[in-house]
Amino acid sequence: MTPVELSRTVLRAVRRAVDVGELSVSVPVSVGVSPPGPGGCGDYATSVALRLAGPAGLPALEVAEILRPHIGDDPGVADVTVTGPGFLNITLGGGAAAALVDEVLTQGARYGYGDTLAGQVVELRVPYDTRAEVVADTLVRIVATQGGRAEVRHAEPVNLRPVPAPEDPAPLGADASRWALLCPASHDRPRISADHLLQRESNPLFRVRYAHARTRALRRNAAALGIVGRPGHDVHGGTDLLSALAEYPHALRLAATHRAPDRLARQLVVVADALLLFQHLVLPLGDEKPSAAHRARLALAEAAGTVLAGGLSLLGISAPEYL
């Protein structure tokens, strides 16, 4: 993990702490990481907790303790220690990447499932509106991933009322219409447009489904070369993809607890974009011989495909093998 990648990891940790309500601050545009100074330890250190203490209205040490587990959840981080007035000292890990990929491949479509809502019955009272009904239908599946049970009723008072679509999305077809209704936040008006059907990079739905299809193509091409994916630590260029996969359970949990399927949809876009940047490094090029690194990268790509297929299924959208 490079310093730039680690800086992004720290920013994601701040954003996650803000998302779950542990910190009330504006997420900085950037944060610095550098080798630890006197009294520090690990590979890198950051003073982000001291920077956020004032805006958060909390002691820097308390801010550091809030951020510490969020940074430590990243697959490239082995340990996080707080020193001095609130410096976060970060030790990078080598085996965490393999462990994450193995976890995704072992759990399959159930990766990211948890018990946050175990035993809870979530009542969704919705109006007679297409978007509200699609959101509620999706939340039934998403809430179940966290151990809860959602019950949908048309009743007053309504407690789930996303901004209605300006027109009937049915002409877009099942997949594109669901994406158009689910991807925007509930307070945003969905855009019903043929742009959702374009097979271009500008279309997030296309990127997500295309990325899934690319993972399947990589597996087929690897099989032709006699390469089988195997989780390993040598996943050069895959840091952002690993972080996106590690963040998926958190996004799924927030989608369930906040009744917000858009959080899941947006996380799938993050996974897809990271995979599309990484895909060119997976298989041998030219006369290059297959190696353990190629097997590790293939396993990472397959894990991304697993997450994309599982997430699309929860949204009620198909994940094609070919596109």
Side-chain angles (χ1 to χ4, degrees):
M1 183 183 294
T2 67
V4 172
E5 292 169 335
L6 181 56
S7 176
R8 289 200 293 264
T9 294
V10 175
L11 279 176
R12 280 191 291 266
V14 174
R15 190 172 296 112
R16 179 184 288 190
V18 170
D19 283 344
V20 299
E22 295 174 334
L23 285 178
S24 180
V25 295
S26 297
V27 179
V29 175
S30 63
V31 298
V33 297
S34 59
C41 58
D43 299 302
Y44 292 96
T46 177
S47 60
V48 65
L50 285 77
R51 176 179 171 184
L52 296 178
L58 297 170
L61 278 173
E62 186 172 341
V63 174
E65 287 297 342
I66 290 171
L67 295 177
R68 186 172 62 82
H70 293 300
I71 297 173
D73 283 345
D74 188 276
V77 173
D79 187 46
V80 183
T81 303
V82 178
T83 60
F87 291 104
L88 286 153
N89 297 259
I90 303 167
T91 301
L92 303 181
L100 173 62
V101 172
D102 183 66
E103 180 183 0
V104 175
L105 295 177
T106 299
Q107 295 185 9
R110 293 185 62 82
Y111 172 67
Y113 284 32
D115 58 3
T116 302
L117 299 177
Q120 296 186 35
V121 176
V122 177
E123 187 178 26
L124 302 174
R125 300 187 299 274
V126 302
Y128 287 95
D129 170 74
T130 299
R131 188 185 186 197
E133 291 171 347
V134 169
V135 170
D137 170 72
T138 304
L139 284 173
V140 169
R141 291 185 293 276
I142 292 177
V143 167
T145 69
Q146 303 305 308
R149 178 166 59 88
E151 297 181 348
V152 182
R153 293 195 298 144
H154 292 287
E156 295 289 346
V158 169
N159 65 0
L160 182 68
R161 191 194 295 272
V163 174
E167 57 188 281
D168 182 10
L172 296 177
D175 288 335
S177 63
R178 291 188 72 90
W179 183 268
L181 297 176
L182 295 171
C183 191
S186 62
H187 57 268
D188 291 332
R189 183 176 296 277
R191 181 174 53 87
I192 307 303
S193 164
D195 289 350
H196 293 297
L197 301 174
L198 296 177
Q199 295 197 24
R200 297 179 182 172
E201 289 185 0
S202 59
N203 178 6
L205 174 59
F206 169 71
R207 297 204 305 275
V208 171
R209 299 174 82 224
Y210 178 64
H212 173 265
R214 286 300 305 149
T215 66
R216 298 306 183 247
L218 287 168
R219 185 170 61 184
R220 292 192 297 271
N221 294 339
L225 295 172
I227 304 173
V228 177
R230 183 177 303 162
H233 70 277
D234 191 352
V235 286
H236 172 70
T239 299
D240 286 346
L241 182 53
L242 285 164
S243 295
L245 297 182
E247 187 72 13
Y248 178 79
H250 176 64
L252 188 54
R253 186 164 55 250
L254 288 178
T257 56
H258 291 261
R259 320 293 188 255
D262 57 288
R263 290 180 178 266
L264 171 58
R266 289 198 297 271
Q267 187 61 29
L268 293 180
V269 175
V270 174
V271 173
D273 288 346
L275 180 282
L276 292 174
L277 289 174
F278 174 70
Q279 61 171 326
H280 308 291
L281 304 174
V282 173
L283 298 180
L285 298 175
D287 296 330
E288 190 179 7
K289 299 296 183 182
S291 66
H294 294 114
R295 290 192 288 272
R297 294 170 200 164
L298 177 61
L300 174 54
E302 291 175 335
T306 297
V307 166
L308 291 170
L312 285 170
S313 177
L314 290 172
L315 296 176
I317 298 174
S318 65
E321 295 278 324
Y322 299 86
L323 193 63

